[in-house]
Amino acid sequence: MVANRRAAAYLLSLIALPALLWYGNPALALLTAAAISVILNVNPVPLPSRYGSLALQAAIVMLGLRLDAGQMLVLSSDYALLVGGYVLFALGVGLSLGRLLGCDWSATRLIAAGTSICGGTAIATLSPIIKAPAEQTGVVLAMVFLLNAVALFCLPWIGHWLELSQLQFGLWAALAIHDTSSVVATAAIYGEEAASVATTIKLGRTLWLIPLVVLYSMLEKAPQAKIRIPGFVVLFVLASLAGSMLPLPEIVPKIAKLSSSMLLVIALFFLGAEIDRNTLQKLRGRILIVGVGLWAIVLPASLAVILAIT
């Protein structure tokens, strides 16, 4: 029976993916894969997390070929204070909210770090340092993943309703959405300029994980914790430098744009395949209340600050 359902899921994926690539909407790709996974209760693709992550990283590197390194530097410098303020605000509110509601302290720290910095990456990095139970980590990851899905569908609609500029929406997506994949995909739905802004600011926000890992390691007396800059971030910067400084043929940016769009659809399809019945069953208790409550606070707060300064 399981084999039949798995075969059906694979077949549906093979049929759906070409159409999704042609349509080019990452949100629809995520929803389609999640629907197949939940309805058939089997994973429609093998190793979705691994391949989805690789597709996303490749999409970000391709996007770098189309960005101006000088503009990226200016953008990062201009909004470094905004990013730092958001990270510290979200961390403070998250930790305080967890204490106020009596949520487990390990889960609270994971939720605060995931919301303030880089979602699943921060959670997976910090979980072994603070010795969080595997079940808690799984619940927090599931919650963050579904909030990313909500953002992917709702934020572009809200942005158009509020008539946000490409810069404003790119900044909002880079701050208010947990994971890099959803930041890039959500901003890409809104517009190419928004995607460029969001990717640049989000990668700068991700670097805040380094001091947080150092701090948590000191507090937990875990000197063995490893800190490394992801390879795709280095490749993204190199691609941006190449696109800005080298006389590349005109066809290269066009291919990079098409490749980036297609890879984003593939990445979100694979990531959507991770939403299954087990994921939905994990969402319960105070962890969910703290996670959703924190996001409900930082989402409008970050937008209000962006509207005030732009």
Side-chain angles (χ1 to χ4, degrees), residues 244-277:
S244 305
M245 302 174 65
L246 298 179
L248 299 176
E250 292 185 6
I251 191 65
V252 172
K254 294 180 181 179
I255 293 176
K257 179 180 180 180
L258 179 61
S259 300
S260 181
S261 299
M262 293 179 68
L263 285 166
L264 268 179
V265 171
I266 294 172
L268 268 293
F269 186 87
F270 275 84
L271 294 176
E274 291 191 273
I275 300 178
D276 54 21
R277 296 181 189 179

Side-chain angles (χ1 to χ4, degrees), residues 1-10 40 42:
M1 185 65 179
V2 174
N4 291 337
R5 286 188 281 115
R6 183 170 287 111
Y10 287 167
L40 295 178
V42 293

Side-chain angles (χ1 to χ4, degrees), residues 68-103:
D68 184 276
Q71 291 180 355
M72 284 175 54
L73 184 61
V74 171
L75 194 65
S76 298
S77 176
D78 287 347
Y79 295 104
L81 185 61
L82 174 65
V83 173
Y86 171 83
V87 170
L88 295 176
F89 173 75
L91 272 173
V93 173
L95 295 175
S96 300
L97 191 62
R99 283 292 197 193
L100 181 65
L101 296 177
C103 184

